[in-house]
Each structure stands twice: as C-alpha cells, then as structure tokens.
Amino acid sequence: MDFDFSADRVPRYYVDGNPFKTTFVTALSSLFPEGEFFFVEAVRHYRNRITDPVLKAQISGFIGQEALHSLAHKAFNDAATVQGFQVDKLDRDVGFLLRQVKRFTPPIVHLAATACLEHYTAVFTEMLLKDEEVINTFSPEIRNLYLWHSVEENEHKTVAFDVYEAVGGGYLLRASFMIPTTIVFFAVIFWFQARLLAKDGQLFKVRQNLKGFNYIFGRKGVLSSLIPQYLDWFKPNFHPSHHDTDALLATWQEKLFGEDGLLTAKIMTPSKKLPH
Ligand SMILES: [Fe+2]
Ligand SMILES: [Fe+2]
C-alpha cells in the first residue's frame, strides 16, 4: 500500500485534533512492527505440522498480510518519530519485551499469545468497521491505514486460532493465557502513552487526559463497550467465526478495493515500484 504519512498529510494530532486520543493510537501503532512480526514467527513455526491444504493456504495469506501491516505501521511510526514523538524508542522496547517472551517460554505459548492478541485485533477492528463514528475522527491517511488493516484483520482472524487448535493447543491454556496477555498489553499501552504525552508536554493536562481516558475506557467508552465480545473468548466452544463479519467484510472490500474504491489507487504494483 502506497501510504503517505508525511507531516503535510498527517496533522500532529491526527485523531480528532486531540493529544490524548492521538497518543493512544500512536502507542497502539508502536506495538505493530515488532508485534506482528512476532505473530508471523509464532504461526510459521507450526506451518509444517499443518496438513489441511485450506489452512496451509490461509497461513500463507496471514503471513503476507501481517508482514505488510508491520511495514506500513513502521512507516507511520517513522513519520511520528520525525514529528518528535520518539516512537522508535517504544518500538525497540517492544522488541526487547518480545525477545524475553521468546527466550523464556515455549513456542505453544507464543502461538497462544498470538491467538489472544488476534482476538483483540478482530474485536477492535470489527468495531472500527461497524461504527464509523470512531474511525471518522481519524485524519484521512490514518483512516485509510486503519480501514485497510481492519479489513485484513477480519479476513484472517481465524488463522492463528485454527493453527493453535490443529497443533493440539487446548482450552485451558488459551483461556488462562488471555489474563496475563490483557494485563501486559494494557500496562504497555499506558506506559507508552504516558511517555508520548510526557514527550509532548501534555502529560499533566489532567482535565484533557481524563476526558480522553473516559472516551476510551469510561462507561460506554470506545473500548469498554467491547467487553462482552472480548469475554466470548472464555467460552469453551468459542471460535472467532462466531463473530460473523462476512457481510461487513464484503461491503468494505468493495468500498476500499472496488472499481472506484477508496484505496484502489494506493495498491502498489511491481511496475509502480520500478525506477524509471
Ligand atoms: Fe495486522
Ligand atoms: Fe492479525
């Protein structure tokens, strides 16, 4: 995808002109380059054990999509770093954290963590596609990035889960592992967002930050309203396809990549990349 995140295309506070909302989304983005590479490795580790040709093909699709998300978010993070947010430092910290996870836990735990986080991304991105009110507060190029990412997350949301089950991963590990995953995920997000706000001189703007916090985590907040879907994970017979997004996906695939699609012109073809 040919995104342009340069400062003249992306305002400093690209979500609703609001520093709190913007740094929350930037903190999220800082997790993607290393995080999605971790997902790719976790799934790829088990690829040779999968015999079902359909799942094998889905794994290839998953790896391709996550690798491209990694690159797109890296490009955005670099642009945010140029604007003075030091996302590069956060990115390095995520890398360090994930290297410790890889060092001290077995591959099945990496896969369980991947399936848990893919549940997060599926629930979050389904909301972005369904309730356009939230994504419409993003400035145009960032909205494009998250629309594209959201569609692809929903396209491949069953893959890590199916690989986990196919290699014998059980209910107990996947359900219990969601708890530390959630704690670490939000601890990292809050820590990173505090650093971004501090760097920007916004950390002690208490009223502004409380308002932003309430918008995301308060009663009827953007994330708190997703708790029921999040909790579905703990049902023993849960499968990501139970959150049916087929119709939603078909609508967005057409809107983004149809003949006059919003993002059709942004698809990079090999000829576009060749020097003249
Ligand atoms: Fe992704
Ligand atoms: Fe994903």
Side-chain angles (χ1 to χ4, degrees), residues 129 150-152 154-156 245-254:
L129 296 176
S150 297
V151 163
E152 294 200 346
N154 279 277
E155 284 173 351
H156 72 227
T245 46
D246 288 353
L248 184 71
L249 262 182
T251 307
W252 276 107
Q253 281 158 343
E254 183 56 31

Side-chain angles (χ1 to χ4, degrees), residues 4 19 23 36 52 58 63 74 95 118 121 123 136 142 146 158 172 179 190 202 221 223-224 229 256 258 262 267 271:
D4 178 1
T23 48
E36 300 202 281
D52 175 8
Q58 288 175 337
I63 290 174
K74 173 91 175 67
E118 283 285 279
T121 49
V123 167
N136 285 344
I142 305 297
Y146 281 89
T158 56
L172 220 61
I179 295 158
F190 288 139
Q202 306 276 350
L223 288 191
S224 15
Q229 291 95 307
L256 298 186
L262 258 172
I267 300 172
S271 62

Side-chain angles (χ1 to χ4, degrees), residues 122 157 187 215:
K157 67 180 178 182
Y215 171 78

Side-chain angles (χ1 to χ4, degrees), residues 170-266:
Y171 169 72
L172 220 61
L173 177 66
R174 85 159 166 84
S176 56
F177 208 72
M178 187 52 117
I179 295 158
T181 301
T182 301
I183 294 169
V184 172
F185 179 82
F186 281 103
V188 169
I189 283 281
F190 288 139
W191 176 39
F192 281 12
Q193 191 182 5
R195 286 165 64 183
L196 291 170
L197 284 167
K199 184 76 196 153
D200 199 34
Q202 306 276 350
L203 186 60
F204 296 107
K205 296 200 171 157
V206 177
R207 259 183 63 175
Q208 169 190 282
N209 292 341
L210 278 178
K211 237 172 116 180
F213 184 86
N214 196 42
Y215 171 78
I216 299 172
F217 297 102
R219 237 167 62 88
K220 296 191 183 165
V222 171
L223 288 191
S224 15
S225 31
L226 301 177
I227 290 173
Q229 291 95 307
Y230 162 76
L231 290 176
D232 285 342
W233 180 260
F234 296 96
K235 292 177 182 163
N237 63 350
F238 176 75
H239 186 268
S241 63
H242 294 169
H243 293 168
D244 183 3
T245 46
D246 288 353
L248 184 71
L249 262 182
T251 307
W252 276 107
Q253 281 158 343
E254 183 56 31
K255 271 206 233 181
L256 298 186
F257 299 110
E259 211 176 311
D260 292 316
L262 258 172
L263 303 183
T264 309
K266 288 187 180 292

Side-chain angles (χ1 to χ4, degrees), residues 4-11 83:
D4 178 1
F5 300 123
S6 54
D8 51 336
R9 293 293 307 274
V10 180
Q83 291 214 32

Side-chain angles (χ1 to χ4, degrees), residues 51-71:
T51 49
D52 175 8
V54 175
L55 185 53
K56 256 180 142 51
Q58 288 175 337
I59 291 173
S60 300
F62 172 87
I63 290 174
Q65 289 187 331
E66 295 296 37
L68 289 181
H69 301 164
S70 224
L71 289 179

